[in-house]
Amino acid sequence: VVEMAAAFFEKCLRMPEGRAALDYLRGRGLTEETIKRFRLGFSPDGRGKLKSMLAAEGIEESAMVAAGLLVQPEDRNRDPYDRFRGRVMFPITDRQGRVIAFGARLLAGDGPKYLNSPETSLFHKGRNLYGLAQAKEAVREHGNIVVCEGYTDVIALAQAACFSPTDAAMIDAAMRGHE
């Protein structure tokens, strides 16, 4: 389910409604190769665009909620809605490169500037470092890890050929989990 969402967000980045997100990423100096390597995307504005696409693929609403892609309102009489809307999407992967969650940056409007997936059966903040899958080979080769804060900072370092992108946004919990 999370992989399907990542593919949807990647596709949306290339659509007219994703133009501002693509401009943002390019404005940060990211190349097309880097955007593709990190599978960056865009979550369109709307409470049910991702939900509709996944439902059309036969995915149950409960699976979408469990994956952290939809928010279930406290009032159970209300329908779940897309968690991420109008945001640049940063897929978070496990060590093997499988998408397990998302970080998201708001482009305009109200709401928190950054929003991350909640913890799920796949995603545990303390067990994952953003960019580690892309950095595995370089870490093996050099034996070092550079820690920085922010998704775009990690990606920019990787693009500049620094040897090991990781993300300090999740480092505190990860370090506690690996003591």
Side-chain angles (χ1 to χ4, degrees), residues 94-153:
D94 63 13
R95 291 178 187 175
Q96 289 74 41
R98 298 174 296 208
V99 180
I100 57 172
F102 296 95
R105 185 191 191 284
L106 186 65
L107 289 174
D110 294 331
K113 184 175 179 180
Y114 291 97
L115 181 63
N116 294 314
S117 292
E119 294 218 357
T120 67
S121 62
L122 292 177
F123 176 61
H124 303 280
K125 245 180 156 175
R127 295 185 192 155
N128 301 97
L129 295 174
Y130 182 74
L132 186 59
Q134 291 87 348
K136 278 192 319 188
E137 292 303 316
V139 170
R140 281 190 198 113
E141 182 180 336
H142 298 282
N144 295 314
I145 292 179
V146 174
V147 177
C148 64
E149 184 177 5
Y151 300 114
T152 54
D153 295 335

Side-chain angles (χ1 to χ4, degrees), residues 24-25 28 30 40 88 90 105 114 130 148-158 167:
Y24 167 80
L25 294 169
R28 294 294 305 253
L30 302 183
L40 305 181
V88 174
F90 299 90
R105 185 191 191 284
Y114 291 97
Y130 182 74
C148 64
E149 184 177 5
Y151 300 114
T152 54
D153 295 335
V154 170
I155 295 167
L157 284 174
D167 188 346

Side-chain angles (χ1 to χ4, degrees), residues 76-95:
R76 297 289 179 169
N77 294 321
R78 295 179 52 213
D79 289 334
Y81 57 89
D82 291 1
R83 177 177 305 277
F84 304 108
R85 301 177 307 278
R87 294 176 180 273
V88 174
M89 300 300 294
F90 299 90
I92 299 169
T93 64
D94 63 13
R95 291 178 187 175

Side-chain angles (χ1 to χ4, degrees), residues 63-76:
M64 297 179 222
V65 171
L69 300 171
L70 300 185
V71 174
Q72 175 64 61
E74 286 184 32
D75 177 355
R76 297 289 179 169

